[in-house]
Amino acid sequence: MSHTDDFVLDVTRIRDQVRQKMDEGPITGTFGHDPQKVINILNDVIATEVVCWLRYTRHAISAKGIDRAQVSAEFTEHAQEELQHALRAAERVSQLGGEPDFDPASLVQRSHTDYQVPADTDLRGLLEANLWAERIVISTYQEIIRWLGEGDPTTRRLMEAILEEEEEHADDLTDLLGV
Ligand SMILES: [Fe+2]
Ligand SMILES: [Fe+2]
């Protein structure tokens, strides 16, 4: 009986291959992408998350209206999670041998979302601005996850974990909007 899908692991070949480029740390010949491309994508994710952190922080302070306390608390919680997302993406950039890019001069161009502060800081306007931003990152992160595919499972899992929290953020905002 023959099996065409047998898993055959050539450990001898792998042992030789990985020994040749020890300076590349966790990046081995089985990494399925150009590491620099993954680093560039993650640096734009860092910019996006920092802009989201700034926007939520600003909105938490400016929120006005009868349900101010509840909305402000939610924005503060989201802000903290966006900052964690930025830090986790930066850790991964470093693991991949890159330099995490927190340069404020290029944050806005690199970010997928805008630093939006509506002139009128009523709660609905703020909630809608943040829901719009969350829906943008949900879409862009899904595209990133699809592109990463099987080529870099660790970055993909990181982005999947972040995406899950962005979907929770969008859901929280939708609940607060009462739509
Ligand atoms: Fe985030
Ligand atoms: Fe978010």
Side-chain angles (χ1 to χ4, degrees), residues 49 52 78 81-83 85-86 134 137 141 162 166 169:
E49 295 292 349
C52 289
H78 288 194
E81 286 171 354
E82 309 303 12
L83 182 58
H85 296 165
E134 293 291 353
V137 300
Y141 291 2
I162 294 175
E166 309 303 8
H169 292 170

Side-chain angles (χ1 to χ4, degrees), residues 45-108:
V45 169
I46 291 172
T48 303
E49 295 292 349
V50 170
V51 167
C52 289
W53 169 67
L54 290 168
R55 193 188 53 255
Y56 271 124
T57 302
R58 169 70 158 84
H59 288 190
I61 291 166
S62 326
K64 290 185 181 68
I66 194 153
D67 294 318
R68 183 196 183 281
Q70 191 192 2
V71 172
S72 184
E74 197 71 42
F75 287 171
T76 301
E77 191 186 306
H78 288 194
Q80 283 161 358
E81 286 171 354
E82 309 303 12
L83 182 58
Q84 288 307 310
H85 296 165
L87 296 175
R88 287 161 75 186
E91 278 298 328
R92 184 62 182 154
V93 167
S94 179
Q95 280 181 359
L96 293 171
E99 301 291 342
D101 189 352
F102 285 87
D103 187 348
S106 63
L107 276 186
V108 172

Side-chain angles (χ1 to χ4, degrees), residues 9-133:
L9 195 55
D10 187 349
V11 178
T12 308
R13 178 182 54 81
I14 289 176
R15 284 168 60 100
D16 288 344
Q17 270 178 356
V18 300
R19 184 139 185 87
Q20 286 160 21
K21 292 186 175 174
M22 296 283 277
D23 58 325
E24 291 186 353
I27 313 275
T28 69
T30 51
F31 193 82
H33 290 293
D34 173 356
Q36 193 54 53
K37 282 189 185 163
V38 179
I39 289 164
N40 293 345
I41 288 169
L42 286 171
N43 271 329
D44 290 352
V45 169
I46 291 172
T48 303
E49 295 292 349
V50 170
V51 167
C52 289
W53 169 67
L54 290 168
R55 193 188 53 255
Y56 271 124
T57 302
R58 169 70 158 84
H59 288 190
I61 291 166
S62 326
K64 290 185 181 68
I66 194 153
D67 294 318
R68 183 196 183 281
Q70 191 192 2
V71 172
S72 184
E74 197 71 42
F75 287 171
T76 301
E77 191 186 306
H78 288 194
Q80 283 161 358
E81 286 171 354
E82 309 303 12
L83 182 58
Q84 288 307 310
H85 296 165
L87 296 175
R88 287 161 75 186
E91 278 298 328
R92 184 62 182 154
V93 167
S94 179
Q95 280 181 359
L96 293 171
E99 301 291 342
D101 189 352
F102 285 87
D103 187 348
S106 63
L107 276 186
V108 172
Q109 295 103 280
R110 292 188 292 119
S111 174
H112 306 161
T113 55
D114 297 326
Y115 175 80
Q116 251 198 351
V117 183
D120 180 5
T121 53
D122 73 297
L123 298 179
R124 176 161 286 272
L126 297 182
L127 288 165
E128 282 172 352
N130 287 299
L131 179 56
W132 185 58

